[in-house]
């Protein structure tokens, strides 16, 4: 059977947008449950400014409290060297830098334009490589931006290439506000595939408009085999108005299986984790 990987985003993308403080112990319990589900990679938290994303202020405590399962990669977001050094001290197995294909969102999310944000991330990628820590790159707003409108595929390809050039082993393509359509996702992928092979790309689709699974099908047809998702479909980005959750892990897992792609996940544990995640956000 062919394989596709789901990269679990729940503890990070799923929880970062929650206004109520979530106890650190609850976050740790969620990660520990997810560690038993069969994921190869879990995005645990973000080492970002607590002034910008208060919910992730306990990143170091969460990393210190989780029980690491053998073979599971515990990844975190690192927007700058300050975040990277804290992530390394916390023993992150992998880090991720994140940029935007649109200027408007870059300024809203990172307080810097695209070029300046890339300049800030390059030392992070260099340091991670020197330390033997894999670094992933995100491109946000790959089709539509709430500030700038439709995003040209060439802009996405440019930022993806810049992240590749700074040493990111994989580029995750974010439909941050879930407005992509199979046609726009396909056009975007065609441009990005001129720069990177499908094996180095991941689809990161929010499900605001209910099209994430269609966009995954389009991506599968283009050869992508890694998809980001969050248990319970939780999430959203605090600096992207209108962003709803990541597509739900349990739905992606069933969808991939129906299309003949094994993903190695335990559906019973995923269901428990989805319930736990929803309860943490008070949306059960
Ligand atoms: P800034 O205000 O320009 O940064 O923010 P600064 O360097 O001037 O620092 C301001 C203060 O923050 C200082 O503290 C720094 O020490 C502190 P003060 O001196 O005022 O007390 N600070 C930090 N503290 C802890 N860890 C750090 C850190 N950096 C600075 N790493 C900055 C610039 C990039 C820091 C800020 O804009 C930021 O943290 N942005 C992150 C926003 C974010 O996390 N967004 C959500 C994640 S992205 C996303 O969800 C999209 C994704 O899912 C893909 C998709 O869906 O498209 C990945
Ligand atoms: Mg996201």
């Amino acid at each position: 059977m062919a394989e596709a990987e789901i990269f679990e985003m729940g503890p990070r993308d799923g929880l970062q947008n929650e206004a109520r403080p979530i106890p650190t112990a609850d976050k740790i319990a969620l990660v520990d449950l997810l560690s038993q589900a069969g994921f190869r990679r879990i995005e645990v938290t973000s080492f970002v400014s607590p002034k910008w994303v208060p919910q992730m202020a306990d990143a170091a405590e969460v990393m210190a409290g989780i029980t690491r399962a053998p073979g599971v990669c515990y990844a975190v977001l690192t927007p700058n060297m300050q975040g990277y050094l804290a992530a390394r001290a916390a023993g992150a197995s992998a880090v991720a830098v994140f940029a935007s294909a649109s200027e408007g969102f870059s300024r809203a999310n990172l307080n810097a334009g695209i070029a300046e944000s890339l300049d800030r991330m390059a030392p992070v990628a260099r340091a991670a490589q020197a330390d033997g820590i894999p670094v992933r790159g995100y491109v946000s707003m790959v089709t539509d931006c709430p500030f700038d409108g439709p995003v040209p595929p060439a802009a996405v390809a440019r930022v993806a290439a810049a992240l590749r050039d700074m040493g990111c082993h994989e580029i995750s393509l974010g439909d941050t506000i879930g407005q992509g359509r199979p046609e726009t996702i396909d056009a975007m992928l065609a441009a990005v595939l001129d720069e990177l092979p499908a094996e180095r790309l991941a689809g990161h689709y929010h499900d605001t408009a209910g099209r994430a699974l269609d966009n995954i099908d389009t991506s599968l047809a283009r050869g992508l085999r890694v998809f980001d998702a969050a248990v319970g479909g939780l999430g959203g980005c605090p600096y992207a108005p209108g962003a709803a959750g990541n597509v739900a892990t349990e739905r992606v897992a069933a969808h991939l299986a129906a299309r003949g792609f094994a993903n190695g996940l335990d559906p019973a544990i995923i269901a428990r984790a989805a319930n736990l995640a929803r309860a943490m956000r008070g949306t059960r």
Side-chain angles (χ1 to χ4, degrees):
M1 198 177 189
E3 281 188 23
E5 181 192 355
I6 299 179
F7 190 156
E8 174 59 38
M9 295 281 129
R12 196 280 300 172
D13 211 346
L15 298 181
Q16 69 182 9
N17 202 29
E18 176 61 42
R20 291 176 313 147
I22 296 174
T24 303
D26 290 2
K27 298 175 182 173
I28 292 168
L30 177 63
V31 175
D32 285 350
L33 183 55
L34 291 166
S35 286
Q36 306 307 314
F39 293 107
R40 280 185 236 155
R41 296 186 279 176
I42 300 172
E43 201 158 81
V44 176
T45 185
S46 303
F47 286 85
V48 297
S49 169
K51 292 187 178 136
W52 284 68
V53 186
Q55 189 62 256
M56 297 284 113
D58 59 359
E61 290 78 11
V62 173
M63 288 298 285
I66 59 174
T67 302
R68 299 181 189 217
V72 178
C73 167
Y74 295 93
V76 303
L77 292 190
T78 51
N80 53 19
M81 278 308 288
Q82 189 176 342
Y84 173 71
L85 293 173
R88 187 181 67 181
S93 348
V95 297
V97 293
F98 47 108
S100 170
S102 72
E103 286 292 338
F105 180 65
S106 186
R107 290 185 191 286
N109 196 44
L110 293 166
N111 202 23
I114 297 171
E116 190 192 337
S117 76
L118 291 170
D119 285 347
R120 223 160 36 190
M121 284 162 206
V124 174
R126 268 199 303 275
Q129 283 172 293
D131 293 333
I133 298 177
V135 52
R136 184 184 217 217
Y138 284 96
V139 186
S140 285
M141 304 298 172
V142 294
T143 59
D144 300 85
C145 172
F147 305 101
D148 300 356
V151 177
V156 184
R158 251 193 322 272
V159 175
L163 292 170
R164 173 203 61 204
D165 292 347
M166 70 174 73
C168 295
H169 69 93
E170 180 178 83
I171 310 294
S172 178
L173 300 163
D175 178 10
T176 322
I177 56 167
Q179 295 303 315
R181 301 172 174 279
E183 316 82 77
T184 54
I185 292 283
D186 194 56
M188 178 276 294
L189 289 175
V192 175
L193 284 164
D194 282 343
E195 298 287 350
L196 287 122
E199 304 79 63
R200 293 184 61 186
L201 300 176
H204 177 109
Y205 304 140
H206 288 252
D207 202 24
T208 320
R211 291 190 291 264
L213 294 179
D214 296 335
N215 294 336
I216 285 176
D217 284 340
T218 299
S219 310
L220 284 169
R222 285 278 184 186
L224 275 66
R225 295 292 181 267
V226 178
F227 298 100
D228 300 349
V231 280
L234 299 182
C237 176
Y239 293 99
N246 286 106
V247 61
T249 302
E250 54 277 22
R251 291 180 61 222
V252 180
H255 190 78
L256 289 173
R259 275 155 178 64
F261 292 97
N263 54 64
L265 299 179
D266 179 333
I269 296 181
I270 299 293
R272 276 172 54 205
N275 277 338
L276 183 62
R278 275 193 289 264
M280 284 163 67
R281 288 198 68 184
T283 49
R284 183 151 56 179

